[in-house]
Amino acid sequence: MSKFINSPFVQELSKITFRLYDHGWDERNGGNVSYRLTEEEVTPYEDTKKVLKTIPIDFDGKDLAGMYFLVTGTGRYFKNVIDFPERDAGLVRIADDGKSVDLLWGFNDGGRPTSEFPTHLMGHKTRLKMNPDQRVIMHCHPTNLIAMTFTQKLDEREITRILWKMQTESLVVFPEGVGILPWMVPGTTTIGEATAAKLEHFGSVIWPQHGLFASGSSIDEAFGLIETIEKAAQIWSIIQQQGGKIEQTITDKDLSDLAKAFHVTPREGYLDV
């Protein structure tokens, strides 16, 4: 049997973590990714059948018992995952009691899942209720989006409208808008619960002065959502650098027509039409 390190799942995680770093969105040990795998995807690999150790988690994951997650490690630099995936990532299975995970592969230097793993699990749990194909949670630090949280009111409707109007693609990719939390201490149950509550309504959640938490049914979908939101924020930032005066824009009527053409439904009350 092939070793799990050569699986398409580890390869995907290795590539995307480097791309997140290369975009400047995951400096140092900033950012984390979790990727839900199925039992059918894991069991063909002989080196995932033995429990290497049991790691307690600060979350009641009983509803996710038996699920497998490929997750980045705490304190690990995203630029290194592509070269050392078996050190900087691990495959875990949620234990039956939901209070710990069984490490099946990876973290071969004694590491453990990201400190944000409970928040990831809360997010997966919430999104799975709405989409059984939910697979990926990504947290990163997109530069221009973070900058917006210093200068704009943390109003979900207003920031969503700004991002929608920065490029035609935005409304199509995230018609539900973006969720926003107040500033909160990361790595806590409190921010995990608040993020999960927002994920009932949005595919992504802004953590002000910190970063973005995004979900998706695949690596590409979650990464593409982040790319699109950050690109819109970058365009807005460039407009401000050019003086902030807008001569023409995408109107609310334009956005309504766009939604009809692409068969998406904008969040109710967000368009003035």
Side-chain angles (χ1 to χ4, degrees):
M1 292 286 183
S2 298
K3 290 188 176 182
F4 189 66
I5 195 171
N6 298 317
S7 70
F9 317 111
V10 174
Q11 296 301 308
E12 277 188 290
L13 184 73
S14 298
K15 290 176 183 177
I16 208 63
T17 47
F18 186 81
R19 285 171 181 158
L20 284 161
Y21 159 77
D22 200 42
H23 274 61
W25 301 342
D26 285 289
E27 70 291 336
R28 201 171 179 270
N29 62 320
N32 28 79
V33 177
S34 62
Y35 185 5
R36 182 178 66 85
L37 304 182
T38 67
E39 185 173 7
E40 292 74 23
E41 290 167 336
V42 172
T43 52
Y45 299 93
E46 290 295 334
D47 54 340
T48 65
K49 298 185 184 301
K50 179 182 177 182
V51 176
L52 303 177
K53 66 179 177 178
T54 299
I55 304 170
I57 54 174
D58 187 20
F59 169 64
D60 184 359
K62 189 175 293 184
D63 291 342
L64 303 177
M67 290 189 184
Y68 298 82
F69 293 92
L70 182 60
V71 59
T72 54
T74 185
R76 303 311 167 104
Y77 287 37
F78 267 25
K79 71 182 183 68
N80 293 331
V81 179
I82 197 166
D83 293 319
F84 306 101
E86 199 165 3
R87 183 193 70 185
D88 295 339
L91 175 70
V92 300
R93 181 178 59 213
I94 310 299
D96 290 341
D97 64 3
K99 297 178 181 179
S100 62
V101 297
D102 295 327
L103 177 64
L104 305 177
W105 175 90
F107 299 140
N108 62 7
D109 66 346
R112 55 193 298 130
T114 168
S115 62
E116 299 288 3
F117 194 42
T119 301
H120 281 244
L121 293 179
M122 293 179 206
H124 281 289
K125 179 180 175 180
T126 296
R127 296 300 292 179
L128 279 166
K129 293 176 182 177
M130 296 171 288
N131 175 16
D133 294 326
Q134 161 65 27
R135 287 278 202 140
V136 177
I137 295 285
M138 287 186 188
H139 168 56
C140 65
H141 306 158
T143 308
N144 294 282
L145 185 67
I146 294 172
M148 285 185 72
T149 68
F150 285 91
T151 62
Q152 302 302 294
K153 291 182 179 179
L154 300 179
D155 182 287
E156 290 169 343
R157 183 180 187 272
E158 292 308 309
I159 286 187
T160 291
R161 284 171 54 79
I162 290 172
L163 298 174
W164 279 353
K165 292 192 174 194
M166 289 300 101
Q167 57 185 350
T168 303
E169 182 183 30
S170 288
L171 178 70
V172 178
V173 175
F174 52 100
E176 77 283 1
V178 292
I180 306 175
L181 295 180
W183 186 91
M184 302 176 75
V185 175
T188 64
T189 300
T190 303
I191 197 172
E193 291 172 345
T195 302
K198 287 293 183 183
L199 288 171
E200 292 182 11
H201 309 286
F202 304 96
S204 60
V205 182
I206 295 172
W207 290 0
Q209 296 87 49
H210 183 155
L212 184 66
F213 207 81
S215 62
S217 58
S218 67
I219 291 281
D220 282 349
E221 184 177 61
F223 185 71
L225 176 58
I226 295 168
E227 282 184 305
T228 307
I229 292 171
E230 170 63 3
K231 181 63 172 287
Q234 181 183 22
I235 294 168
W236 181 87
S237 295
I238 292 171
I239 290 170
Q240 305 314 303
Q241 292 166 13
Q242 294 180 2
K245 183 179 180 182
I246 295 178
E247 296 290 346
Q248 51 276 320
T249 187
I250 301 173
T251 67
D252 284 44
K253 175 63 165 56
D254 294 334
L255 290 173
S256 180
D257 291 342
L258 180 67
K260 291 174 184 175
F262 281 86
H263 308 291
V264 298
T265 303
R267 178 166 292 279
E268 185 176 355
Y270 275 32
L271 294 181
D272 294 329
V273 290

